[in-house]
Amino acid sequence: MRSLISLLSLALLSLSLLALPAYAQEKKDTKKEPTAAQKKQQERMKDCNERAGLQKLEGDARKKFMSSCLKGEQKGSAQQDRMGACNKQASSKALKGDARKSFMSECLKGEDEMKPRGLRG
């Protein structure tokens, strides 16, 4: 009698262990899509991160900028930030006329143009 109970217990344990991979696979396949609010937050994070990078912010200044940007307190876009940064560089180099236009054009293309085609965002 005791051996029968042991055998049944062992059989049930084996069956439950065999079912675990199927359960884990099912659980892994049920990945949820982000909600509209989550997608909006992800876009805002991406934009703020790009803008902080363009401004070359680091440490506490970056944290402060990211915090206010994610709250929506920072106005403007990454393109506007890039335009301002390029304009400052052109002014500091005292560029005028065609030289300034050429510099601004290259500067506004930004880092994406420096990356290989497959890695551009």
Side-chain angles (χ1 to χ4, degrees):
M1 180 74 167
R2 205 176 252 209
S3 64
L4 184 61
I5 291 174
S6 301
L7 188 59
L8 280 174
S9 297
L10 184 60
L12 285 174
L13 180 63
S14 298
L15 285 174
S16 63
L17 288 176
L18 288 173
L20 279 178
Y23 177 73
Q25 183 66 32
E26 180 182 309
K27 199 162 181 103
K28 187 167 64 171
D29 290 343
T30 58
K31 185 178 179 183
K32 287 195 255 178
E33 286 294 316
T35 64
Q38 288 171 329
K39 286 180 183 178
K40 184 178 177 183
Q41 181 68 10
Q42 288 170 348
E43 280 299 314
R44 183 179 289 164
M45 177 69 92
K46 183 179 173 185
D47 183 55
C48 291
N49 202 23
E50 182 180 344
R51 292 172 57 200
L54 288 172
Q55 295 178 21
K56 296 184 178 19
L57 296 175
E58 294 179 349
D60 289 339
R62 185 181 183 94
K63 286 179 189 176
K64 185 177 179 181
F65 172 83
M66 290 295 289
S67 177
S68 64
C69 182
L70 291 172
K71 290 176 186 174
E73 296 170 358
Q74 293 289 324
K75 301 297 178 203
S77 67
Q79 182 65 23
Q80 288 171 328
D81 290 343
R82 182 174 282 158
M83 177 70 92
C86 291
N87 208 10
K88 282 183 186 177
Q89 289 177 25
S91 295
S92 70
K93 294 179 180 185
L95 297 175
K96 304 269 186 217
D98 289 339
R100 185 181 185 94
K101 285 181 187 177
S102 177
F103 172 81
M104 290 295 288
S105 176
E106 288 300 311
C107 183
L108 290 172
K109 287 180 185 174
E111 295 175 4
D112 275 354
E113 293 300 315
M114 304 287 188
K115 294 179 185 175
R117 286 195 190 279
L119 298 178
R120 292 181 191 168

